[in-house]
Amino acid sequence: MKHLSMACQATVAVLALAATTSAQAQLARNSKAPVDITANQLELVNSQCSAIYRGGAEALQETSRLRADQLTIVYVKAPGGGPGNGCSSDLLRMEATGSVFYVTPEQRIRGDRAVYEAQTQTLTLTGSVVAARGQDVMKGERLVVNTVSGDARMEGGGRVRTVIYPGAKPETPK
């Protein structure tokens, strides 16, 4: 009975952690809004301070959206904490895999994998990356976006390609 109670407490602690820590993520530029995460399934791995969302996983913050087949949230381990209770409330990173889409009011980006690093507030997309703003399109193998400043860098496995339509008005992504 005592073992079951401790397991329930650990699960409740991780669920509370997921609810509060998500607000520390920075998917939307300069936002303090909470991050709302949904999926078909959630697996909590207390020993690794992680939550794995599978099946149409989607993280929303204000008007920014990160979508993927799987989204793994990793929290910072608490100093001196043991298994099941050693997770802090600080977000370390989010990892998105499979059909990754990052959409903001200004742009649409897709790739095979994305990693958001909370400490540097950067989102790195890899694998046949395509970024679009209005009609303008940029392609490469790796895109690094600072979610605070909006600065970005595209790298190619060979060459980066950009197609620009001068004078075209930006469209709102759908």
Side-chain angles (χ1 to χ4, degrees):
M1 183 77 154
K2 187 176 179 181
H3 178 70
L4 179 60
S5 176
M6 289 178 68
C8 288
Q9 288 175 359
T11 300
V12 169
V14 170
L15 286 172
L17 186 71
T20 59
T21 303
S22 296
Q24 309 228 354
Q26 188 75 41
L27 292 177
R29 190 170 175 190
N30 296 319
S31 177
K32 300 284 187 206
V35 176
D36 181 8
I37 303 171
T38 59
N40 294 336
Q41 177 186 6
L42 169 61
E43 177 183 355
L44 302 171
V45 186
N46 291 332
S47 62
Q48 297 176 9
C49 294
S50 66
I52 305 164
Y53 295 83
R54 292 186 181 96
E58 185 170 57
L60 298 167
Q61 185 179 37
E62 288 186 358
T63 57
S64 295
R65 175 178 52 206
L66 177 63
R67 223 178 26 179
D69 295 336
Q70 179 174 304
L71 182 61
T72 302
I73 310 297
V74 181
Y75 301 99
V76 175
K77 292 190 179 194
N85 65 354
C87 304
S88 77
S89 61
D90 295 324
L91 177 73
L92 183 62
R93 76 179 166 278
M94 283 194 281
E95 301 172 1
T97 55
S99 302
V100 176
F101 291 89
Y102 176 60
V103 179
T104 70
E106 299 85 29
Q107 62 192 2
R108 302 169 313 279
I109 305 170
R110 75 167 170 82
D112 298 329
R113 184 170 192 270
V115 177
Y116 171 77
E117 295 288 345
Q119 190 168 23
T120 59
Q121 296 180 322
T122 57
L123 180 66
T124 303
L125 290 101
T126 57
S128 301
V129 178
V130 176
R133 174 175 267 165
Q135 290 181 312
D136 301 341
V137 178
M138 182 172 37
K139 295 181 181 183
E141 285 301 311
R142 182 173 188 260
L143 175 65
V144 181
V145 179
N146 181 303
T147 60
V148 176
S149 68
D151 294 345
R153 180 180 69 249
M154 178 72 84
E155 301 168 357
R159 295 175 58 86
V160 172
R161 180 173 185 188
T162 303
V163 178
I164 299 170
Y165 292 86
K169 293 183 180 180
E171 299 172 4
T172 303
K174 297 181 181 2

